[in-house]
């Protein structure tokens, strides 16, 4: 269902925001797998790094002017190790 949201917001919000949300969803879909191997763990790292790189769009657009360092986002860093 979340992939439908990406298609519906495309063109209405900055493309960087759509890419950011897509990277987050990629991470989530990978994290939900029942088994992981080296490939999926590396893909999770890449998706999360790309999400963190792009999430500045929320500061740039004024949605989160004080920053985006939310505790739940920090917790994502520990998923790969777990």
């Amino acid at each position: 269902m979340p992939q439908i949201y990406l298609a519906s917001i495309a063109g209405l919000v900055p493309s960087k925001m759509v890419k950011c949300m897509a990277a987050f969803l990629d991470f989530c879909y990978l994290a939900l797998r029942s088994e992981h191997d080296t490939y999926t763990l590396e893909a999770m790292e890449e998706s999360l790094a790309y999400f963190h790189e792009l999430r500045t769009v929320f500061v740039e657009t004024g949605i989160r002017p004080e920053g985006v360092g939310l505790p739940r986002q920090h917790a994502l860093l520990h998923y790969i190790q777990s």
Side-chain angles (χ1 to χ4, degrees):
M1 194 69 174
Q3 64 273 18
I4 294 171
Y5 297 126
L6 283 180
S8 66
I9 65 171
L12 300 175
V13 299
S15 63
K16 187 175 178 182
M17 196 175 290
V18 175
K19 291 176 186 177
C20 179
M21 296 309 299
F24 178 72
L25 287 175
D26 287 344
F27 175 85
C28 291
Y29 288 134
L30 288 165
L32 289 172
R33 288 183 173 206
S34 59
E35 294 182 14
H36 293 282
D37 57 18
T38 305
Y39 169 77
T40 58
L41 295 176
E42 287 176 2
M44 285 175 70
E45 281 183 354
E46 290 172 9
S47 296
L48 189 58
Y50 194 47
F51 165 73
H52 281 289
E53 177 185 326
L54 294 173
R55 71 183 185 159
T56 58
V57 70
F58 295 101
V59 175
E60 295 163 1
T61 57
I63 293 172
R64 297 279 308 177
E66 70 282 352
V68 289
L70 303 173
R72 288 186 206 133
Q73 289 179 13
H74 172 76
L76 297 176
L77 298 172
H78 302 288
Y79 275 56
I80 299 164
Q81 295 172 343
S82 298

